[in-house]
Amino acid sequence: MKGITFLLLLFPLLNLAQKDLPSRKGQLHFDLGLEYRITPIYPLESFSLGRFNPFTFVDQDQQNSGMGINIGMEYFLGKNLALGFSNTFRYDLIVSGQTEIQPDFGTAPNQYGLLIDYHLYLKYYFKLFGKGDLFLSVGISRMNTNSDFSSKESFFDEEGNLVGSILSIESSSYWANRFELGYSNKRGIIGAGIYMSNSTNYFEETTSFIVPFIKCSIKLGKL
């Protein structure tokens, strides 16, 4: 029922946008900007300490927040509907250095690397302002690629003797739904939105994980 009400409210705006927006069908637009991610939102009780979890050594708050560089392009399928693809590049935390501390006391540096996100989305423009457009974007993202790390789990008998170990490759990457609302004019783009997922590896059970973000870009040109 709420979805139907939303569509009824949105329909007049779609008609207005269709009439007033200049035709951009077939154009390919490019942009470059910065994206800042605010601290993720999730229920704290979702953490489980019942068994070994290599992601205990990954700070999910630090890894999914902070600044990144965003490079994108949009192809206009119609006068006000565009298909977009973009990458976000971040030099960020991969795994905590505590995994390397062998004695009871000591320190070790965290491991950082270049994380790359891939975004595919549809964007719809509304002509609500004289010199710019309001837009709504919906899509999917592959987050934190290039975050692979090795983990080791050891097994002991009842007397505390080492029985064996398992080595495996883990990754902090995950799929997320992407929603963004913003404003665009001839020079640039500003927007705010969220990445929303329930398939991250940070938790041992299905957990809602939301990453809010704000974005500011300049338009590089079009073909």
Side-chain angles (χ1 to χ4, degrees):
M1 189 64 182
K2 292 182 179 179
I4 295 176
T5 302
F6 175 75
L7 290 176
L8 291 175
L9 294 173
L10 188 61
F11 185 72
L13 298 179
L14 295 179
N15 284 338
L16 180 61
Q18 193 72 26
K19 293 177 182 178
D20 295 339
L21 277 175
S23 180
R24 291 174 285 193
K25 183 177 180 180
Q27 294 182 0
L28 184 62
H29 292 213
F30 301 90
D31 64 85
L32 171 67
L34 297 176
E35 180 180 306
Y36 181 77
R37 297 179 185 176
I38 308 169
T39 302
I41 302 170
Y42 55 88
L44 294 177
E45 61 270 17
S46 297
F47 283 104
S48 174
L49 302 179
R51 65 177 180 83
F52 173 80
N53 182 355
F55 290 90
T56 302
F57 305 115
V58 178
D59 186 333
Q60 70 284 341
D61 291 346
Q62 182 177 346
Q63 190 176 67
N64 292 276
S65 61
M67 191 73 70
I69 298 175
N70 189 272
I71 301 175
M73 60 181 179
E74 294 179 3
Y75 178 77
F76 280 82
L77 303 172
K79 186 165 61 173
N80 52 359
L81 178 65
L83 175 65
F85 176 79
S86 66
N87 287 121
T88 305
F89 300 90
R90 297 176 293 121
Y91 185 76
D92 220 323
L93 177 73
I94 295 181
V95 66
S96 171
Q98 63 179 301
T99 56
E100 300 178 1
I101 301 176
Q102 299 299 328
D104 293 334
F105 301 94
T107 61
N110 292 334
Q111 298 178 25
Y112 290 82
L114 180 64
L115 301 182
I116 306 174
D117 307 316
Y118 298 85
H119 316 292
L120 181 65
Y121 54 88
L122 284 172
K123 182 180 289 186
Y124 201 96
Y125 289 87
F126 308 87
K127 189 65 177 180
L128 299 181
F129 305 98
K131 296 183 179 180
D133 312 318
L134 187 69
F135 67 81
L136 176 65
S137 174
V138 178
I140 58 173
S141 298
R142 182 63 174 173
M143 313 289 286
N144 295 344
T145 66
N146 201 36
S147 61
D148 295 354
F149 62 92
S150 299
S151 69
K152 178 180 179 180
E153 183 174 7
S154 298
F155 301 91
F156 302 86
D157 59 22
E158 295 180 354
E159 297 179 354
N161 299 314
L162 179 65
V163 176
S165 301
I166 296 177
L167 296 175
S168 60
I169 302 297
E170 307 289 347
S171 174
S172 300
S173 62
Y174 60 92
W175 289 98
N177 295 314
R178 181 182 185 277
F179 305 93
E180 182 184 4
L181 180 66
Y183 171 78
S184 172
N185 59 26
K186 293 182 179 181
R187 295 184 178 181
I189 305 166
I190 56 173
I194 59 171
Y195 299 104
M196 184 169 60
S197 176
N198 58 5
S199 61
T200 70
N201 293 320
Y202 302 120
F203 314 98
E204 293 189 19
E205 57 186 18
T206 301
T207 300
S208 176
F209 190 76
I210 299 174
V211 181
F213 70 89
I214 54 177
K215 177 183 172 183
C216 180
S217 302
I218 58 173
K219 294 185 177 181
L220 300 177
K222 61 183 179 181
L223 296 176

